[in-house]
Amino acid sequence: MRIDVLTLFPEMFYGVLCSSILGKAVEKGLLTVNLVNIRDFSKDKHRRVDDYPYGGGAGMVMMVQPLYDAILSIKGTDPGAKTIMTSPRGKRFNQAIAKELSTEKHLVLVCGHYEGVDQRVIDSMVDEEISIGDYVLTGGEIPSMAIIDAVTRLLPEALGSSDSLEEESFKQGLLEYPQYTRPAEFNGMKVPEVLLSGNHKEIEKWRREKSLEVTRRFRPDLLEGTRLSVEEERRMQSKNSL
Ligand code: 4HQ
């Protein structure tokens, strides 16, 4: 997959793209990221990319021309590239959207700044607006990094076999069960006996049960899309009445 990132702060991406799974994906050639500095497309002698809003009001607006030309420099060579702008008014990012995006060959991520972007850029060049949640950030860089991260780990062969994607198939939309590693006892706190038993069937059963328990406690809304067995349904009911 190729991702072009249009930003005023390309240096913000260096650490993220060089580390961990993303660093590996880039090294392996599964992901190519092209950082484009929007300022390079300014025609202003001071390299300005923002201006005062028509109609007045606080803050600055990103000008149409530099951003338009920056996007065109990418889309001109690949009109099929999917262009996404990060914005609080966008569709809320989630795992289903990450999956969809991971099937694209070429993404263009536009990182807004200041109070916003001239609407004409969005109208003429942007396919989709995506929000990573209901809070206000100073710019679209961190949302873009979140999207790149979530999408890249879904690319075939991005994850080592040890941290595979099995979770998405059979733990379907549930939160993770609690995890433990050595030692078996720490400050009197013991690892649940079943995990030391070597009985894989029992361990699977325990994990599924804990996943359901954790999900019910922390994110009951996630259970709505989950099919439970009759037995599980019964057990959840009995826990409800405690
Ligand atoms: N932004 N999810 C762009 C966000 C945001 C979010 C703040 C993006 C300001 C101009 N983007 N600007 N939350 O807070 O995507």
Side-chain angles (χ1 to χ4, degrees):
M1 166 177 278
R2 171 179 164 147
I3 304 180
D4 291 273
V5 182
L6 280 58
T7 170
L8 290 169
F9 301 99
E11 69 281 359
M12 285 180 73
F13 290 81
Y14 297 168
V16 164
L17 293 174
C18 291
S19 313
S20 185
I21 309 269
L22 293 194
K24 292 261 164 53
V26 171
E27 245 173 55
K28 290 193 219 169
L30 306 174
L31 172 69
T32 304
V33 178
N34 180 36
L35 296 168
V36 178
N37 192 334
I38 297 160
R39 204 174 289 284
D40 291 344
F41 291 84
S42 172
K43 290 186 167 153
D44 187 86
K45 67 175 170 193
H46 301 108
R47 305 230 301 158
R48 275 181 51 166
V49 290
D50 63 324
D51 207 340
Y52 299 97
Y54 274 121
M60 303 295 276
V61 175
M62 274 175 87
M63 295 160 64
V64 59
Q65 175 271 317
L67 203 42
Y68 184 95
D69 287 346
I71 299 173
L72 194 61
S73 78
I74 307 298
K75 289 244 245 194
T77 59
D78 182 7
K82 180 160 212 167
T83 303
I84 292 163
M85 170 116 126
T86 53
S87 162
R89 74 184 187 192
K91 201 158 142 196
R92 176 72 63 83
F93 190 56
N94 60 21
Q95 193 62 20
I97 296 177
K99 263 184 201 161
E100 269 170 46
L101 295 181
S102 72
T103 67
E104 297 281 339
K105 276 219 283 289
H106 187 183
L107 299 176
V108 181
L109 300 180
V110 182
C111 308
H113 251 269
Y114 312 115
E115 299 309 304
V117 166
D118 190 304
Q119 182 62 33
R120 291 168 292 187
V121 176
I122 298 162
D123 294 342
S124 60
M125 292 301 233
V126 170
D127 298 312
E128 204 173 336
E129 292 177 85
I130 292 181
S131 166
I132 63 163
D134 293 340
Y135 38 80
V136 182
L137 298 165
T138 58
E141 282 74 15
I142 289 172
S144 287
M145 288 183 224
I147 293 169
I148 294 171
D149 188 290
V151 167
T152 301
R153 64 182 288 288
L154 295 176
L155 298 176
E157 292 172 55
L159 296 185
S161 49
S162 62
D163 28 12
S164 69
L165 283 179
E166 51 155 344
E167 113 219 35
E168 259 110 57
S169 51
F170 89 105
K171 293 168 202 166
Q172 288 241 1
L174 295 180
L175 296 175
E176 271 284 6
Y177 48 80
Q179 296 273 23
Y180 302 86
T181 186
R182 290 190 294 175
E185 183 174 343
F186 181 76
N187 286 353
M189 296 179 287
K190 292 190 167 125
V191 171
E193 203 55 50
V194 60
L195 298 178
L196 312 175
S197 70
N199 183 338
H200 296 293
K201 207 154 176 187
E202 282 304 308
I203 291 171
E204 273 323 304
K205 210 175 120 203
W206 182 89
R207 287 180 165 170
R208 168 81 181 176
E209 213 164 289
K210 285 293 170 185
S211 277
L212 287 167
E213 223 173 280
V214 166
T215 307
R216 192 177 67 117
R217 171 154 169 224
F218 292 97
R219 291 292 306 278
D221 57 300
L222 295 178
L223 281 175
E224 290 173 22
T226 309
R227 266 210 297 280
L228 303 184
S229 70
V230 177
E231 169 67 9
E232 285 165 344
E233 202 73 69
R234 191 189 56 73
R235 216 166 325 147
M236 296 293 263
Q237 285 305 327
S238 71
K239 282 195 170 125
N240 259 330
S241 55
L242 289 180

